Amino acid sequence: PLSRFYMQRLESMQSTYGSGQIAFRGISCNDQDSIEDLVRFRDELKLSFPLIKDRDQAIARQFAATRNPHVYVVDQEERIQYQGRIDD
């Protein structure tokens, strides 16, 4: 999956910026991914940020996600400061 390609980049960003006031979360809204699949994926890629299963796509709808992976920078008041691709 395309998201696999970006996970190491996100992990690197987590290592650089993940302390203090910046938190990283991975959210999966794919129906075919089970919790066990996400745990294996996280462990295989040695990710230090949590992966969240969005079972009913409520989070994806809330943020109007249009691609996978889709990145959001959200401030402490839950206002979107950036959304789009990882490389933009």
Side-chain angles (χ1 to χ4, degrees), residues 19-37:
S19 62
Q21 296 186 6
I22 299 176
F24 286 75
R25 304 288 182 263
I27 300 171
S28 174
C29 59
N30 296 328
D31 289 334
Q32 71 272 15
D33 294 336
S34 69
I35 297 293
E36 293 79 15
D37 292 334

Side-chain angles (χ1 to χ4, degrees), residues 26-29 52-65 72:
I27 300 171
S28 174
C29 59
I52 299 165
K53 177 66 177 167
D54 185 11
R55 293 182 192 273
D56 59 0
Q57 291 83 36
I59 299 169
R61 281 194 304 277
Q62 177 184 355
F63 288 103
Y72 294 88

Side-chain angles (χ1 to χ4, degrees), residues 31-87:
D31 289 334
Q32 71 272 15
D33 294 336
S34 69
I35 297 293
E36 293 79 15
D37 292 334
L38 292 178
V39 169
R40 273 192 301 276
F41 184 76
R42 183 202 62 210
D43 292 349
E44 176 186 331
L45 297 177
K46 298 176 177 55
L47 302 176
S48 61
F49 55 88
L51 300 179
I52 299 165
K53 177 66 177 167
D54 185 11
R55 293 182 192 273
D56 59 0
Q57 291 83 36
I59 299 169
R61 281 194 304 277
Q62 177 184 355
F63 288 103
T66 59
R67 62 179 63 86
N68 184 14
H70 197 116
V71 171
Y72 294 88
V73 176
V74 181
D75 66 19
Q76 291 176 330
E77 285 78 41
E78 296 187 9
R79 293 179 302 223
I80 297 171
Q81 299 298 317
Y82 171 82
Q83 67 175 314
R85 296 180 179 167
I86 294 169
D87 302 40

